[in-house]
Amino acid sequence: MQEETGESKSALPRFFTLEMFMFTVTALSGLVLLWSIAVPYRNVAIMVCAGVVFTLSIVVVIRLIMDPDSVRARQSDSMLKLASQTLTCMNDGMDYKAAQKICGLLLPSTAAIAVAITDKKQILGYAGFEEAQNLPGSIIRTHATHATLADGKLRILFTPEDIGFPSESSNIKAAIIVPLAIGRNVEGTLKFYYRRAKHISETQKSIAEGFGKLLSTQMAASALEEQTQLATRMELKMLQSQINPHFLFNTINTIASLIRTDPETARKLLREFAVFYRRTLEDSADLIVFAREMEQTKRYFTFEVARFGADRVEMEMRIDPRVEDMLVPPFLLQPLVENAVRHAMPSEGKLTIEVTGEVTGNDVIVRVCDNGVGMTEEARCNILHPESSLGLGIAVKNVHDRICGYFGPGTHMEVESELGKGTCVILVLKEGALREYQ
């Protein structure tokens, strides 16, 4: 199949190059013939040669134009360009603006006098005959369209009555109605209206069916992307709700205990606590600057230091300035640091957490490492398992899923751990992370 496709692509330039060459020869020989006739002293030999060349080139041009392969090549090239333009219109899904543009693109490429796109209830786009009477937002009126929405079948209609128009009052005499489906659900229709039934040829049927499938595929892709984004936002909301109560009471108790012994520190912590939760609720955008995520993580760690003491927990950050400026999903570092405090704290001594961010080629490597209790190999392997309730919990799984969703193929999370020596969580944001998100 790939070989055939490559041959078809290479055939298109050959057809068009040969046609252009023969058109040029025809034009030049015609000019020479006219010149030889117009001059006072005619050169018979030149006239004969020019006439012969002109005649032969005319014959070749006609054969090229009428050649089925050449015709198909031109039609294929035209349809591919049209398909590309149509898909570009649907970058943001099938809305009124996209539907109207698509109808305007399709109309000149068919024998139809009008093209329409609908959803389940109303017209999304309409171009051509009686356009002013079929504005976007108008309710669907024809029973044939309702029937196609109901059963999902392509309809080729040869009379106004079949379409749903009065025969005496409509200039539209025939139509092709193609269902637009996402999976098994019909979400709309693509309609081509014709002035005569005889205008519906096999070519028109193929064009209608082909573009119906193309638009359906693009609508399905847009719906899938929207669902993915929705799922990501829901995961983020779930993570926010998990973070909020996690250390709420411990932090409040810590601040309360400091009110009498160290009121100035208590006031500072209370202000930071308010800022932390406001940022937690605000950071629901798709992407934030990495430096903001660092600030929020440092703010969180302030409460842990207040709770456990500086002799028990410590955090160090070494981030490349280029990494600080890049855009990342929110809640990237803080859940990892929080889990280190929760799960890695030794019974004695100090827990040190080290956060680093570096650029390696076009990749970005972020590490959150600790010198805590570590974990077994079984626990390490279970961390990212979808059904696991062990390991570092849902927050780390959430971070993993979101970086893969934002940064694409190759992006992944690695976890290295050894009992008694600590754990290191490594985020590998693959090639193009800096270039795409800066």
Side-chain angles (χ1 to χ4, degrees), residues 126-168:
Y126 190 103
F129 179 72
E130 293 186 344
E131 184 172 336
Q133 287 74 47
N134 294 275
L135 297 174
S138 303
I139 301 300
I140 296 171
R141 297 187 299 272
T142 59
H143 64 72
T145 304
H146 286 291
T148 299
L149 289 168
D151 60 22
K153 294 180 179 179
L154 183 146
R155 281 176 165 75
I156 301 174
L157 310 165
F158 296 103
T159 67
E161 291 84 359
D162 290 339
I163 301 171
F165 295 139
S167 57
E168 67 280 357

Side-chain angles (χ1 to χ4, degrees), residues 87-95 98 182 214-230:
L87 293 179
T88 301
C89 294
M90 292 186 64
N91 287 337
D92 297 324
M94 181 65 83
D95 54 15
I182 299 177
L214 180 69
L215 296 183
S216 293
T217 301
Q218 188 65 10
M219 288 169 62
S222 297
L224 179 60
E225 182 177 356
E226 183 179 346
Q227 288 298 317
T228 301
Q229 292 175 351
L230 179 60

Side-chain angles (χ1 to χ4, degrees), residues 92 147 158 200 333 376 385 412 426:
D92 297 324
F158 296 103
I200 300 181
L333 296 179
T376 64
H385 194 283
H412 61 282
I426 306 166

Side-chain angles (χ1 to χ4, degrees), residues 273-288:
F273 193 60
V275 173
F276 176 82
Y277 269 91
R278 185 171 67 248
R279 290 287 176 86
T280 297
L281 297 174
E282 288 175 353
D283 285 345
S284 58
D286 286 344
L287 298 171
I288 63 172

Side-chain angles (χ1 to χ4, degrees), residues 96-122:
Y96 289 119
K97 184 177 179 181
Q100 191 61 40
K101 284 185 177 180
I102 292 169
C103 290
L105 287 170
L106 293 180
L107 182 61
S109 302
T110 71
I113 60 172
V115 177
I117 294 176
T118 76
D119 60 12
K120 292 181 177 181
K121 296 181 179 179
Q122 59 187 353

